């Protein structure tokens, strides 16, 4: 593994969508810093621009004002050092699980042998060795999202961005995948930014919870999570009842009011 | 196909033949109006043995294959352009629809005049008739590519070419092959129409000969059966390709 930095800086980002019914200001003056290896949760009401902010960090959207840097370099387009997991798995339905995980490697021009070796590593990492030849349509929702996760990790990114990755799954699968995600993060030492709607999920996963306001999105609060690591399933209960949960909720309620 | 399925298909075929025979017998139809199935089958075997049908069949097959290749090939390129550029669609679609709305039967004599009585005019007519369904299917297929997958491609820095080969073509393939199923049977129609507008050889010519100077109605029916069989065979070929390419999704 190369230099495992992964520092993300967002400086005074404003972003407007030009739509047919007029411009829509999605983000207005958002600034935040994420240290290498740190995990940050973005939480906010609908329309607070959480996903927009994530896409700006991923280089998929260009801010009108301000900018994003990754390890000091400005982000102007998608960067191989950034892995992205969407709300939906977004798997290629005509490809097997293994071929889906190999997709980023293929696009990046990796030779066959190296690709195959990396895919085996990734399948093992997310516990999908047995499903390598299966089609996405044969998998459960949780397994599909695991495939998407390993695809995002394929190029050994320094930063992993997740856009409500498990929100479409049932509660139990979601909890299990969150535990797996923490484990994965511990093993790959990636910086993480995760967008979520769930207060306990944000607290359970993150070192810091950043609360965004309603449209246009601004940073309302930046709250450190006092729970120790490593965390496991029992930490999840602590996350639900932690005083921090109440604070985050109050911020969100203020926004809604 | 399952065994039961195969038996059903075979049974339906037998029933259709029996119905044909019944119409001949009950209606008391003379063979120059509707020959019975066994007479047609006998004439077909005889014509094949004599080599009456083979050169005509070969001529038509070449026209259909070339015409389909040219028409479908152009349709893939233009269909992609229609899907990806609003300008291209606005510029081209009126002409495409107008060309499609003009009956090929009315255009064929003109095309035969322009391109001569040989192979070229048939290929042009086939290509013209194949073009529209394949172009529309390509356009619909390319437009149906999931926007989420395109964003994924962008996030992985896929080049235009990679987007085309790894996302757009695989996603559009079922639709394109559906268009080709229609196109390939229309190609047979195009070849026959082209031959009627003037040709020396081809199954369409043989139908005319059998009806006219030869007055061999069983031969005419045998030729019609051959034309139908050609269409069915090509259709099944496309389905076979489809199974191989998109079967396992």
């Amino acid at each position: 593994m190369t230099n495992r930095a992964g520092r993300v800086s967002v400086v005074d980002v404003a972003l407007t969508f030009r739509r047919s019914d007029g411009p829509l200001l999605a983000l207005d003056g958002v600034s935040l810093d994420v240290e290498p290896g740190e995990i940050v949760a973005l939480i906010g009401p609908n329309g607070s621009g959480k996903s927009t902010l994530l896409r700006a960090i991923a280089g998929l959207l260009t801010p009108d004002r301000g900018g994003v840097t990754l390890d000091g370099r400005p982000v102007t387009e998608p960067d191989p050092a950034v892995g992205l997991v969407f709300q939906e798995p977004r798997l290629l339905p005509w490809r097997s699980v293994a071929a889906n995980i190999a997709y980023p490697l293929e696009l990046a021009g990796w030779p066959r042998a190296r690709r195959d070796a990396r895919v085996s590593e990734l399948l093992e990492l997310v516990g999908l060795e047995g499903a390598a030849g299966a089609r996405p349509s044969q998998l459960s929702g949780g397994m599909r999202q695991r495939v998407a996760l390993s695809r995002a990790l394929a190029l050994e990114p320094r930063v992993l961005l997740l856009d409500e990755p498990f929100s479409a799954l049932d509660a139990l699968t979601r909890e299990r995948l969150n535990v797996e995600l923490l484990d994965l993060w511990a093993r790959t030492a990636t910086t993480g930014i995760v967008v979520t709607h769930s207060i306990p999920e944000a607290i359970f996963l993150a070192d810091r919870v950043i609360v965004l306001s309603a449209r246009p999105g601004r940073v309302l609060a930046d709250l450190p999570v006092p729970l120790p690591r490593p965390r496991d399933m029992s930490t999840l209960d602590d996350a639900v009842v932690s005083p921090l949960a109440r604070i985050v909720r109050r911020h969100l309620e203020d926004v809604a009011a | 196909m399952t065994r039961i399925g195969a038996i059903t298909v075979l049974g339906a075929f037998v029933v259709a033949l029996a119905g044909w025979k019944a119409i001949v017998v009950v209606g008391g139809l003379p063979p120059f109006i509707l020959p019975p199935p066994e007479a047609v089958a006998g004439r077909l075997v005889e014509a094949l043995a004599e080599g009456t049908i083979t050169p005509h069949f070969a001529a038509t097959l070449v026209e259909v294959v070339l015409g389909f290749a040219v028409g479908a090939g152009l349709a893939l390129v233009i269909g992609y352009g229609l899907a990806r550029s609003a300008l291209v669609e606005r510029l081209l679609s009126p002409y495409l629809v107008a060309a499609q709305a003009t009956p090929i039967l009315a255009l064929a004599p003109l095309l035969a005049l322009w391109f001569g009585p040989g192979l070229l005019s048939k290929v042009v007519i086939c290509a013209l008739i194949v073009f529209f369904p394949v172009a529309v299917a390509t356009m619909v297929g390319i437009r149906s590519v999931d926007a989420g997958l395109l964003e994924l491609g962008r996030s992985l820095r896929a080049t235009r070419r990679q987007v085309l080969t790894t996302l757009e073509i695989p996603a559009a393939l079922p639709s394109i092959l559906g268009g080709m199923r229609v196109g390939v049977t229309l190609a047979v129609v195009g070849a026959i129409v082209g031959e009627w507008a003037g040709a020396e050889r081809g199954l369409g010519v043989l139908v005319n000969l059998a009806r006219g100077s030869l007055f061999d109605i069983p031969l005419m029916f045998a030729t019609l059966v051959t034309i139908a069989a050609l269409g069915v065979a090509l259709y099944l070929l496309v389905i076979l390709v489809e199974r191989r390419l998109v079967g396992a999704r």
Side-chain angles (χ1 to χ4, degrees), chain B residues 146-232:
Chain B
D146 185 359
L149 290 186
L150 293 176
E151 193 189 36
L152 170 75
R154 220 156 70 69
S155 79
L156 295 171
R157 298 158 305 283
T159 62
R160 254 194 105 96
R161 193 201 174 90
Q162 285 174 328
V163 170
L164 178 70
T165 55
T166 65
L167 294 176
E168 290 175 326
I169 290 179
L173 212 49
S175 172
I176 290 172
L177 286 163
M180 284 187 173
R181 278 203 220 179
V182 178
V184 83
T185 50
L186 285 175
V188 177
V189 174
I192 304 299
V193 167
E195 287 163 5
W196 275 47
E200 283 154 18
R201 210 175 287 153
L203 293 171
V205 174
L206 189 58
V207 168
N208 257 340
L209 283 177
R211 186 195 57 175
S213 54
L214 299 174
F215 199 66
D216 184 345
I217 301 304
L219 178 63
M220 186 180 130
F221 271 82
T223 311
L224 290 177
V225 168
T226 310
I227 293 170
L230 176 62
V232 170

Side-chain angles (χ1 to χ4, degrees), chain B residues 1 20-21 37 51 67 96 117 199 206 214 218 229:
Chain B
M1 210 187 297
W20 177 358
K21 177 73 180 171
L96 296 178
L206 189 58
L214 299 174

Side-chain angles (χ1 to χ4, degrees), chain A residues 212-225:
Chain A
L212 293 181
S213 68
R215 187 177 302 137
R218 290 191 184 91
V219 174
L220 272 189
D222 187 339
L223 309 160
V225 177

Side-chain angles (χ1 to χ4, degrees), chain A residues 2-74:
Chain A
T2 47
N3 173 26
R4 305 279 335 164
R7 181 190 310 277
V8 176
S9 289
V10 176
V11 182
D12 191 30
V13 160
L15 204 148
T16 309
F17 288 113
R18 266 156 260 295
R19 302 206 309 197
S20 51
D21 53 349
L24 182 81
L25 186 61
L27 297 172
D28 190 13
V30 173
S31 296
L32 56 96
D33 282 292
V34 185
E35 299 296 313
E38 193 183 24
I39 297 168
V40 163
L42 296 175
I43 195 165
N46 278 330
S48 60
K50 309 182 290 289
S51 296
T52 306
L53 179 56
L54 206 69
R55 277 170 174 72
I57 296 171
L60 288 169
L61 292 172
T62 311
D64 302 315
R65 197 184 72 220
V68 178
T69 60
L70 170 63
D71 293 327
R73 283 200 357 253

Side-chain angles (χ1 to χ4, degrees), chain B residues 232-243:
Chain B
V232 170
L234 291 171
Y235 183 82
L236 290 177
L237 195 68
V238 176
I239 290 192
L240 212 70
V241 171
E242 199 173 315
R243 289 244 172 94

Side-chain angles (χ1 to χ4, degrees), chain B residues 20-21 24 29-40 217-219 221-222:
Chain B
W20 177 358
K21 177 73 180 171
V24 173
L29 298 174
F32 63 86
I33 297 294
L34 181 64
E38 72 277 9
V40 172
I217 301 304
L219 178 63
F221 271 82

Side-chain angles (χ1 to χ4, degrees), chain A:
Chain A
M1 277 188 206
T2 47
N3 173 26
R4 305 279 335 164
R7 181 190 310 277
V8 176
S9 289
V10 176
V11 182
D12 191 30
V13 160
L15 204 148
T16 309
F17 288 113
R18 266 156 260 295
R19 302 206 309 197
S20 51
D21 53 349
L24 182 81
L25 186 61
L27 297 172
D28 190 13
V30 173
S31 296
L32 56 96
D33 282 292
V34 185
E35 299 296 313
E38 193 183 24
I39 297 168
V40 163
L42 296 175
I43 195 165
N46 278 330
S48 60
K50 309 182 290 289
S51 296
T52 306
L53 179 56
L54 206 69
R55 277 170 174 72
I57 296 171
L60 288 169
L61 292 172
T62 311
D64 302 315
R65 197 184 72 220
V68 178
T69 60
L70 170 63
D71 293 327
R73 283 200 357 253
V75 173
T76 52
E77 55 178 13
D79 189 309
V82 176
L84 190 52
V85 178
F86 303 92
Q87 195 169 353
E88 325 80 39
R90 300 200 185 175
L91 303 179
L92 278 50
W94 51 84
R95 284 180 176 234
S96 68
V97 165
N100 263 290
I101 297 174
Y103 186 54
L105 308 174
E106 221 176 288
L107 293 181
W110 285 35
R112 186 62 184 263
R114 212 174 137 215
R115 226 154 64 197
D116 290 348
R118 179 68 182 141
V119 168
S120 320
E121 268 174 43
L122 288 159
L123 283 168
E124 204 192 310
L125 188 71
V126 294
L128 281 172
E129 300 98 321
R135 300 272 159 182
S137 59
Q138 296 169 297
L139 304 182
S140 68
M143 283 169 91
R144 276 181 220 166
Q145 208 51 313
R146 266 200 207 110
V147 176
L149 194 55
S150 56
R151 179 181 62 194
L153 291 171
L155 291 166
E156 298 190 349
R158 303 198 291 271
V159 179
L160 187 61
L161 307 177
L162 301 102
D163 188 5
E164 301 187 43
F166 308 134
S167 60
L169 305 175
D170 66 85
L172 286 176
T173 310
R174 185 172 179 161
E175 285 179 2
R176 212 177 52 234
L177 280 172
N178 274 326
V179 173
E180 280 178 31
L181 182 60
L182 275 190
D183 182 46
L184 219 56
W185 250 319
R187 278 192 285 166
T188 55
T190 349
T191 306
I193 302 177
V194 55
V195 165
T196 177
H197 264 125
S198 153
I199 298 172
E201 188 171 86
I203 294 172
F204 175 64
L205 289 174
D207 299 307
R208 263 192 302 145
V209 176
I210 292 175
V211 184
L212 293 181
S213 68
R215 187 177 302 137
R218 290 191 184 91
V219 174
L220 272 189
D222 187 339
L223 309 160
V225 177
L227 298 176
R229 291 187 191 270
R231 301 173 186 170
D232 57 22
M233 208 58 110
S234 63
T235 321
L236 205 51
D237 301 323
D238 299 340
V240 176
V241 295
S242 81
L244 182 58
R246 220 168 316 135
I247 298 170
V248 173
R249 189 176 302 283
R250 217 177 43 228
H251 277 294
L252 288 174
E253 277 164 0
D254 286 348
V255 173

